[in-house]
């Protein structure tokens, strides 16, 4: 349950972080996040698309149709300038939060 | 159990977003589920099992449709302002006492029509519906007026062997009726394909405008506007349009569908009743009740057409189940 809540709060930041590197389509994003987290983040795949569309409506990413090598048309998402700024802010917030949690959880020394 | 085409069809029936975006979403979903199923087949799963796995991994279509609705229905500041604009323009026209000046009324209608034509070409995003509402009012009202005038002319002709207008005026009106009906029906059909709620959203000012026309009639009709065009009455009318603009902003901002229905069913009828009481000055409680019920009923009535226009969900789909347990 706790893991689910954490994932819900961080989904959009995770998506931004992944598309910041290169344009990706939905299925590729799911696989990439699973790979990088060693399977820790297991999306209900359908929830990914509403999240992507929310980010697109907010102007943080944009989607464009392109044909894959197989000829299958896919919608590739890329990050925008506003998305990069947002990602930077969120990453900083997350680092501060993680550092604070870690400081509280680790046994007191000295 | 649903197969992949049925699953996508099931989702399509529940997606209440702009038609253009709906087809994009369905293409993405189709492509995703097919790729997942193909990958599972390559791992050696039998085709049916692979398809069921892919569907299960994608998730419950009802929940996904709700999430898409929330993602696509909440307006940003610009779209909210654009949606409020027609009500604000009318508020300005009334507060400046310009509504009897043909130039300003024609200019406002021309702007609404231009916006509607432009919006139609861009797939009618949500913020355009208040504009569409005012633009469609013109053919809808002139169609009703033409019916009334033709009917009145017919009665006069039967009784006195003469009609108040020339024959070619009646011919033009008879020609206009099917054109105006076609424009109105086309606009309503296009909107209902998006979502019945947006038809009600476009029709938000209609209950108030209907009562306003009645009020004009009580005060001698539109041709003797000075009876009603006092500073006090025009300021009150202007306030009603401002309140409609606020209601529009709330509607655009709230992403949850149920709250949108509440916003449609309550504030606009309340405003119509307030205007009714103000214009008529002394009205019975029963009349207020009738005015409120009529207004709320009118605004919720497009839900009745929803199933008629939208392709009905095939019975076999509603009987099929979506796999939730591990396979």
């Amino acid at each position: 349950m706790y893991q689910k809540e954490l994932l819900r709060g961080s989904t959009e930041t995770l998506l931004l972080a992944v598309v910041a590197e290169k344009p990706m389509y939905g299925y590729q994003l799911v696989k990439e996040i699973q790979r990088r987290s060693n399977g820790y983040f297991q999306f209900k795949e359908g929830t990914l698309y509403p999240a992507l569309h929310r980010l697109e409506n907010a102007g943080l990413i944009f989607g464009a149709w392109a044909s894959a090598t197989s000829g299958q048309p896919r919608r590739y998402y890329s990050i925008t300038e506003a998305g990069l700024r947002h990602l930077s802010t969120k990453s900083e917030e997350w680092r501060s939060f993680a550092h604070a949690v870690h400081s509280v959880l680790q046994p007191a020394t000295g | 159990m649903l197969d992949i085409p049925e699953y996508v069809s099931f989702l399509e029936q529940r997606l209440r977003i702009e038609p253009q975006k709906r087809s994009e979403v369905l293409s993405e979903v189709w492509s995703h589920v097919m790729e997942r199923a193909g990958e599972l087949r390559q791992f050696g799963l039998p085709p049916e099992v692979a398809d069921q796995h892919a569907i299960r991994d994608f998730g419950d279509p009802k929940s996904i449709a709700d999430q898409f609705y929330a993602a696509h229905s909440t307006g940003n500041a610009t779209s909210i302002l654009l949606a409020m604009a027609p009500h604000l323009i009318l508020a300005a026209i009334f507060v400046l006492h310009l509504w009897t000046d043909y130039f300003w009324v024609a200019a406002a209608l021309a702007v609404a029509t231009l916006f509607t034509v432009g919006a139609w070409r861009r797939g009618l995003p949500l913020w355009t519906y208040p504009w569409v509402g005012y633009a469609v009012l013109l053919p809808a009202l002139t169609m009703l007026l033409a019916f009334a005038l033709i009917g009145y002319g017919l009665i006069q002709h039967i009784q006195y062997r003469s009609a108040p207008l020339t024959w070619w005026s009646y011919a033009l009106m008879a020609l206009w009726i099917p054109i105006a009906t076609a424009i109105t029906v086309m606009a309503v059909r296009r909107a209902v394909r998006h979502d019945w709620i947006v038809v009600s959203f476009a029709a938000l000012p209609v209950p108030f405008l209907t009562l306003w026309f009645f009020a004009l009639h009580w005060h001698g009709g539109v041709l003797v506007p000075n009876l009603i065009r006092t500073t006090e009455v025009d300021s009150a009318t202007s306030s009603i349009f401002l309140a409609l603009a606020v209601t529009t902003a709330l509607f655009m901002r709230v992403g949850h569908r149920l709250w949108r229905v509440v916003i449609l069913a309550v504030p606009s009828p309340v405003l119509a009743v307030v205007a009714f009481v103000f214009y008529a000055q002394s009205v019975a409680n029963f009349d207020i009740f009738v005015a409120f019920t009529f207004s709320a009923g009118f605004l919720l009535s497009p839900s009745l057409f929803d199933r008629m226009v939208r392709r009905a969900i095939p019975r076999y789909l509603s009987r099929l189940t979506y796999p939730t347990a591990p396979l």
Side-chain angles (χ1 to χ4, degrees), chain B residues 64-82:
Chain B
I64 292 166
D66 287 345
Q67 289 177 52
F68 270 117
Y69 183 80
H72 282 286
S73 59
T74 312
N76 58 26
T78 313
S79 63
I80 290 173
L81 270 176
L82 285 167

Side-chain angles (χ1 to χ4, degrees), chain B residues 151-172:
Chain B
Y152 180 69
L154 217 66
I155 291 168
Q156 293 286 305
H157 182 72
I158 291 165
Q159 284 182 342
Y160 307 109
R161 287 273 161 206
S162 74
L165 300 173
T166 54
W167 70 267
W168 56 264
S169 311
Y170 288 111
L172 277 180

